[in-house]
Amino acid sequence: MATMEAYVLESYGGPEVLQRKAIPLPEPQGDEVRVQVKAVGINRADLLQRRGRYPQPGEKPPFEVPGLEFAGIVEKAAPGAHVHLKELGLQVGSPVMGLLSGGAYAQFVVTHPRLLLPLPEGLSFTQGAAIPEAYLTAWDGLLQGGFSLGKAVLIPAGGSGVGVAATQLVKAGGGTAITLSRTPRKVELSRDVGADRALLVGTDDVAREVREATGGRGVDLVLELVAGPHLVEHLQLLSPKGTVVVIGTLGGGEVSLPLGLLMAKRARLVGTLMRSRPLEEKMDLVQRFSREILPLFASGTLVPRVHEVVPWEEGPRAHQILEENQNFGKVVLEVAS
Ligand SMILES: NC(=O)c1ccc[n+]([C@@H]2O[C@H](COP(=O)([O-])OP(=O)(O)OC[C@H]3O[C@@H](n4cnc5c(N)ncnc54)[C@H](OP(=O)(O)O)[C@@H]3O)[C@@H](O)[C@H]2O)c1
């Protein structure tokens, strides 16, 4: 039986439970393709899954391999995949990036071609692996929040993978990006990637800075990555009829929310999750992203921010970097062939 190497979760716990193992090489069926993975983006969700707190949706696979995004080369196509590949301008041998609901920490993955994006011209595999989850999540959040030219967006956890992508997307869309971080170094780096105001939580007068940046109106949209008790503070910074899109709960998933504030602002509170979305919805989003946003990478308007590329053998260290909140932007695991 042909095998491949993958990081398999056989128990849950700290980074050390990530162990490389030989497991069966997956065979593409129906309209699927097999991609030889060159690099994998590490996400906060992977840390939760490793602790046994965020299982892959659907039936439990025989080998639990984490990983939501990858870049690599289309290596094999099942007979039904060719029509999709052709439609997308891809073929066996094309460099691609992709979104998964699990399984990317492996030398090969099997997926549907419509979940793939062509790797933009001039980008390396390690840069490509830093794109799908962060940029799709941020862009989808902006769409759900009604973002358009001239709008002001608050981005808590501005130094996270999603936060950096959001900052770049807001600037590319002609908006005002206001980021928050708890780490002075990340505040500086947020300015480097285009934030109009990058604020240090606990030190800067966030309310005053937001008023100044928005002509007293407040932000039109909060891309909520932190939540917990901070959700109320962020809601207070919202303009009338603004929207809070809850994407992450780094600061806590349980909140006590004064609904009077929500009502007085006539605000919208929206929750969103990428991983468990129906496949068709995900494919449509990926392909719309391909048409509308991907050209901005080829032109250099958007530049994936890779904090560190970690060698394949050092998967646990890649998790440690996120665990210790060291990263600004993405950590990428380079996959050995
Ligand atoms: N809804 C979805 O579909 C979806 C998709 C992707 C990601 N997400 C979520 O989006 C969030 C960001 O993910 P990511 O992978 O981009 O994160 P990441 O790269 O790991 O960055 C997280 C950063 O958030 C800050 N942080 C951590 N704990 C915090 C806390 N308790 N309070 C305030 N700030 C905290 C830290 O920066 P500082 O130095 O500033 O503290 C940390 O570096 C996560 O909650 C993730 O689960 C959701």
Side-chain angles (χ1 to χ4, degrees), residues 42-45 47-48 54 68 133-134 137 157-163 180-183 186 224-226 230 246-252 272-275 277 322 324-330:
I42 310 294
N43 287 281
R44 206 75 178 183
L47 276 56
L48 278 179
Y54 192 35
L68 302 177
E133 183 74 14
T137 299
S160 65
V162 177
L180 304 179
S181 176
R182 303 178 299 181
T183 308
K186 293 185 193 175
E224 185 56 85
L225 299 172
V226 172
H230 303 287
V246 181
I247 298 174
T249 54
L250 289 160
T272 186
L273 204 55
M274 185 69 74
R275 192 186 196 190
R277 236 173 250 199
L322 263 72
E324 292 171 0
N325 298 323
Q326 291 176 25
N327 58 303
F328 179 85
K330 299 285 297 188

Side-chain angles (χ1 to χ4, degrees), residues 63-132:
F63 300 96
E64 188 176 353
V65 178
L68 302 177
E69 59 184 343
F70 61 88
I73 296 172
V74 179
E75 182 257 347
K76 188 173 181 182
H82 291 283
V83 59
H84 297 290
L85 287 174
K86 197 166 171 215
E87 238 176 64
L88 300 169
L90 298 172
Q91 57 191 357
V92 172
S94 295
V96 291
M97 336 180 270
L99 195 65
L100 293 174
S101 56
Y105 290 19
Q107 287 176 316
F108 292 87
V109 295
V110 156
T111 185
H112 193 284
R114 287 179 57 216
L115 285 172
L116 294 177
L117 296 155
L119 184 71
E121 194 77 24
L123 257 60
S124 65
F125 288 116
T126 47
Q127 287 176 304
I131 292 177

Side-chain angles (χ1 to χ4, degrees), residues 231-232 235 255-267 269:
L231 181 63
V232 178
L235 187 58
V255 296
S256 165
L257 188 68
L259 290 175
L261 180 60
L262 195 75
M263 291 155 72
K265 297 246 180 201
R266 291 177 292 152
L269 184 61

Side-chain angles (χ1 to χ4, degrees), residues 4-327:
M4 67 168 182
E5 204 172 81
Y7 276 97
V8 181
L9 292 174
E10 293 189 316
S11 60
Y12 297 124
E16 70 288 348
V17 302
L18 280 176
Q19 297 284 346
R20 280 176 294 140
K21 261 193 85 153
I23 64 171
L25 181 69
E27 202 50 43
Q29 311 286 341
D31 49 10
E32 293 173 336
V33 292
R34 187 164 68 201
V35 176
Q36 182 183 12
V37 178
K38 298 285 189 184
V40 183
I42 310 294
N43 287 281
R44 206 75 178 183
D46 308 345
L47 276 56
L48 278 179
Q49 182 172 357
R50 196 203 64 224
R51 292 203 177 274
R53 302 216 309 262
Y54 192 35
Q56 186 171 335
E59 220 174 282
K60 193 171 169 29
F63 300 96
E64 188 176 353
V65 178
L68 302 177
E69 59 184 343
F70 61 88
I73 296 172
V74 179
E75 182 257 347
K76 188 173 181 182
H82 291 283
V83 59
H84 297 290
L85 287 174
K86 197 166 171 215
E87 238 176 64
L88 300 169
L90 298 172
Q91 57 191 357
V92 172
S94 295
V96 291
M97 336 180 270
L99 195 65
L100 293 174
S101 56
Y105 290 19
Q107 287 176 316
F108 292 87
V109 295
V110 156
T111 185
H112 193 284
R114 287 179 57 216
L115 285 172
L116 294 177
L117 296 155
L119 184 71
E121 194 77 24
L123 257 60
S124 65
F125 288 116
T126 47
Q127 287 176 304
I131 292 177
E133 183 74 14
Y135 284 89
L136 271 157
T137 299
W139 179 64
D140 177 65
L142 291 171
L143 290 177
Q144 293 198 51
F147 174 74
S148 59
L149 189 76
K151 295 213 169 170
V153 183
L154 184 74
I155 308 167
S160 65
V162 177
V164 174
T167 305
Q168 290 187 3
L169 285 163
V170 168
K171 292 316 296 170
T176 300
I178 305 173
T179 63
L180 304 179
S181 176
R182 303 178 299 181
T183 308
R185 176 180 54 88
K186 293 185 193 175
V187 168
E188 288 304 318
L189 291 169
S190 287
R191 287 193 190 109
D192 288 352
V193 296
D196 296 277
R197 301 218 178 192
L199 307 174
L200 186 61
V201 174
T203 300
D204 287 325
D205 185 341
V206 174
R208 182 173 56 79
E209 296 268 1
V210 166
R211 275 198 306 276
E212 274 178 22
T214 61
R217 200 175 81 243
V219 292
D220 302 287
L221 171 58
V222 178
L223 285 188
E224 185 56 85
L225 299 172
V226 172
H230 303 287
L231 181 63
V232 178
E233 295 159 25
H234 300 159
L235 187 58
Q236 277 160 346
L237 302 171
L238 199 64
S239 67
K241 294 173 106 172
T243 304
V244 179
V245 180
V246 181
I247 298 174
T249 54
L250 289 160
E254 304 279 325
V255 296
S256 165
L257 188 68
L259 290 175
L261 180 60
L262 195 75
M263 291 155 72
K265 297 246 180 201
R266 291 177 292 152
R268 288 196 314 137
L269 184 61
V270 178
T272 186
L273 204 55
M274 185 69 74
R275 192 186 196 190
S276 56
R277 236 173 250 199
L279 206 58
E280 277 301 323
E281 244 182 78
K282 241 192 228 182
M283 288 174 179
D284 288 349
L285 188 74
V286 167
Q287 293 313 316
R288 185 174 166 199
F289 181 88
S290 182
R291 292 187 299 273
E292 295 182 20
I293 302 297
L294 220 51
L296 299 177
F297 288 99
S299 68
T301 306
L302 297 176
V303 183
R305 180 81 186 203
V306 178
H307 174 81
E308 187 171 339
V309 177
V310 175
W312 180 232
E313 308 74 45
E314 297 179 31
R317 190 168 71 78
H319 273 217
Q320 198 64 45
I321 296 170
L322 263 72
E323 204 88 67
E324 292 171 0
N325 298 323
Q326 291 176 25
N327 58 303

